[in-house]
Structures are given as structure tokens and as C-alpha cells.
Amino acid sequence: MTNSVTSAPSLAAIRWTTLTLSVVLATSTARPSLACAAVLFGYAVWTTARPTSEERRATNLAVVVDVALHVAVVASTGWWHSPYVLTLLSPIATATHANALLRRAEARESLALTHMTRLAEANGLLTELHRVAQSLPVSLDLTETVASTIARVTELFQPNAHALLLRDEAADGWIVAASMGVRLPNTVKTANLPAPLAAAVDAAGATLVADLSATGPGLGTVTSSGIYVPLRARNELVGLLAIERIIPTTLTERDRALLDGVAEQAALALDNARWFGRLRQMGADEERTRIARDLHDNVGQALAYMSLELSRISRDT
């Protein structure tokens, strides 16, 4: 940024002050060189009066013209003995001003480039999330929902190992709904979860672990980096999702943000499927109870009636 010394009004003040002092010195000499004074005066009037911006005044061409004109005047009037040597302060100030404006323009360009890069990344992330949302399962079958979620995660991240665990409230543990590249039992107690997954239980979102050697082993024995995300739906923890790769630091913050978005939608689909399964099971249990009750009532009445009829027939006989 330019300061008060190198601002446009300051440049004009420096130019006119040095020109005035130089003219005064020139008139006190035997050969005043009024032609040079006239040239510098006309140039000062032109640079002061022209309606251009600071950036245009400080372009390379303007600086070159300014320096060349003043150096020519000083050289033609005796170099360091010239009465116009003070006017060299004006092109020096102009060059300083141009340099400051160039740095400011570079800073603005760098900031704009940074903003454009971030906007491009955000746009790409939103586009990917929209595509994921369209491809996530709409089925209410839990098996199909798990399979579709894992297929989408595999397509997006190409992990060397992954695992999808569903919360089992009754047993205070986790049901391993899907896994690849790891050896896990069908159910896992919370106390037996690997350290990164255990930390994800209380995390607000996806957690990126660039190097598992510093935090403890993950799901796999040879994996070196991973992303672990809790699956929450309706403010309830319904599962955990983990992806891991063998090569460390290959998973990035963009991958973490993308998996966070995928997990939010997958959690809702999984929760819907689990609730639908529970309701279907409850309906099946109620239907079995109703059928058993009907059989008991109807068959019992029929048998009692048949017993009475047989007794009557036996008496009549």
C-alpha cells in the first residue's frame, strides 16, 4: 500500500517544490537556462492537470518518461552542478510510488486468485455433493442402502480399507454392516474400537488423520492415513464410517469435507432404512399375534362345539 509520502498529492507537491527551488537557483546563475525551466514547468502542469488515475500515472512508461526528461535537463545544464539537480527527486518519488502501486496490484491479484481458487474448490465440492445426493439410495431396505453407500464411497475415494458400523443400542456396541481390507467381527464393543474410530464417536464431523503412526493404528494393519466420520441423523448417532489408505498424506482436507457431506446424507438414508425395518418387524409380530389369537379363538370355539355335538350324538345313540 502507498503511504502519504508516495501518494499522488505528495508527488505533485514534491514536483512543484523541487521545480520552484531549481528555477530560483537557475535565475541566480549567469546562464539561467530558462528553456529547460519552461520544459519542466510545462511537464509539471501536464502531469498535474491530466485526469488519470494513480495507477496510470505510475506505469512503467510514465516513470521512464519522467526519469528521462529530468536526467536530460540535468545533463544539459551541468550534471551535478546543474541548478535543476533537485528536480531529480521528483522521478525518484514517482518510481517509489510506482513500485508501491505495483506491490499493491500484485497483492490484490494474489488475493483475487486465492478467492477464485477457493470458489472453484467450493463449487467443485458442491457439485460433487449434489451428484452424490442424487445417487444415494432411496430404498428403505437396509442391505441395499449399506451396499449403495459403500459403492459410492469406494467410487469417490478409492480407499484401501473401509468399514461401516451401525449403532447397536441394546448391546452398547456396533454392528459391522460392511468392511473391506480389514478383519472385524460381526459386532464390536465400544471399548474395543480402534483409537481413531473411538475418537470419531464424540467428534462433531469428519476427522482427517494424515499419519496413523502418530495417533495409533486404524482399522487395517498396513494403512497409514484415514478419515473417520460419525453418522448422525436427527441428532442421534446411528453409525461410524471410516476409509483408510496405505500411502500416508494422500487424503486431503477436500476429501475430509467431501466425506463429511456424504456422511450427512448417508446417515439419514441408513436411519430411515433401520426405522423402516423396525416398523416392518413390529408389523409382522403384531400380525403373527393376531393370527395366533384368531386361531386360538376360532379353533377353540369350533372344537368346543364339536365336542358338544359328539356328546349329544352319543347320548342319542
Side-chain angles (χ1 to χ4, degrees):
M1 297 293 291
T2 58
N3 51 34
S4 59
V5 176
T6 58
S7 63
S10 298
L11 289 176
I14 293 173
R15 187 182 303 280
W16 283 103
T17 300
T18 56
L19 179 59
T20 302
L21 293 175
S22 297
V23 171
V24 170
L25 291 175
T27 55
S28 64
T29 61
R31 300 178 63 185
S33 303
L34 296 180
C36 294
V39 171
L40 293 178
F41 180 81
Y43 181 73
V45 171
W46 179 67
T47 55
T48 303
R50 60 176 178 164
T52 53
S53 62
E54 288 187 6
E55 286 77 7
R56 186 174 176 183
R57 292 185 186 189
T59 57
N60 292 332
L61 180 60
V63 173
V64 171
V65 171
D66 202 2
V67 171
L69 178 62
H70 287 80
V71 169
V73 169
V74 171
S76 63
T77 55
W79 284 106
W80 299 115
H81 300 289
S82 170
Y84 299 102
V85 70
L86 290 176
T87 59
L88 291 176
L89 293 175
S90 176
I92 292 174
T94 301
T96 303
H97 179 55
N99 186 43
L101 285 179
L102 179 61
R103 290 197 302 268
R104 184 173 65 181
E106 290 176 349
R108 286 202 302 262
E109 183 179 355
S110 176
L111 183 61
L113 182 61
T114 301
H115 287 170
M116 288 295 295
T117 303
R118 290 179 179 177
L119 287 175
E121 291 178 354
N123 183 63
L125 183 60
L126 290 174
T127 302
E128 192 65 36
L129 286 175
H130 177 69
R131 187 170 69 88
V132 169
Q134 290 181 325
S135 61
L136 279 176
V138 294
S139 172
L140 291 177
D141 182 77
L142 183 59
T143 302
E144 293 180 3
T145 303
V146 170
S148 180
T149 300
I150 290 299
R152 177 56 59 195
V153 169
T154 302
E155 177 186 351
L156 289 174
F157 303 99
Q158 300 297 320
N160 300 113
H162 66 248
L164 175 60
L165 284 67
L166 297 177
R167 180 68 172 163
D168 185 4
E169 298 88 351
D172 188 25
W174 305 85
I175 300 172
V176 180
S179 64
M180 185 271 293
V182 295
R183 292 183 177 180
L184 293 174
N186 293 331
T187 59
V188 181
K189 292 290 185 180
T190 302
N192 297 330
L193 286 174
L197 270 179
V201 172
D202 299 321
T207 303
L208 170 63
V209 181
D211 189 359
L212 286 169
S213 62
T215 60
L219 295 173
T221 57
V222 296
T223 50
S224 301
S225 62
I227 303 178
Y228 309 90
V229 56
L231 302 178
R232 287 190 171 87
R234 304 175 183 89
N235 297 323
E236 295 291 336
L237 183 64
V238 299
L240 295 172
L241 178 61
I243 61 171
E244 293 181 349
R245 286 183 182 169
I246 295 176
I247 303 176
T249 69
T250 55
L251 293 169
T252 63
E253 281 294 325
R254 183 183 183 278
D255 295 326
R256 185 198 63 78
L258 181 58
L259 185 60
D260 213 5
V262 171
E264 182 178 354
Q265 302 174 47
L268 186 59
L270 291 168
D271 194 46
N272 289 340
R274 294 193 77 181
W275 276 109
F276 180 76
R278 292 168 182 169
L279 292 175
R280 184 168 55 185
Q281 183 64 37
M282 290 175 59
D285 292 342
E286 291 182 358
E287 183 65 16
R288 281 194 294 267
T289 301
R290 185 188 64 80
I291 292 174
R293 185 172 56 251
D294 290 346
L295 287 174
H296 177 271
D297 294 343
N298 294 336
V299 174
Q301 292 178 3
L303 290 176
Y305 175 74
M306 290 178 62
S307 177
L308 292 175
E309 285 296 314
L310 287 175
S311 297
R312 183 182 62 80
I313 294 172
S314 177
R315 287 196 304 270
D316 291 346
T317 302

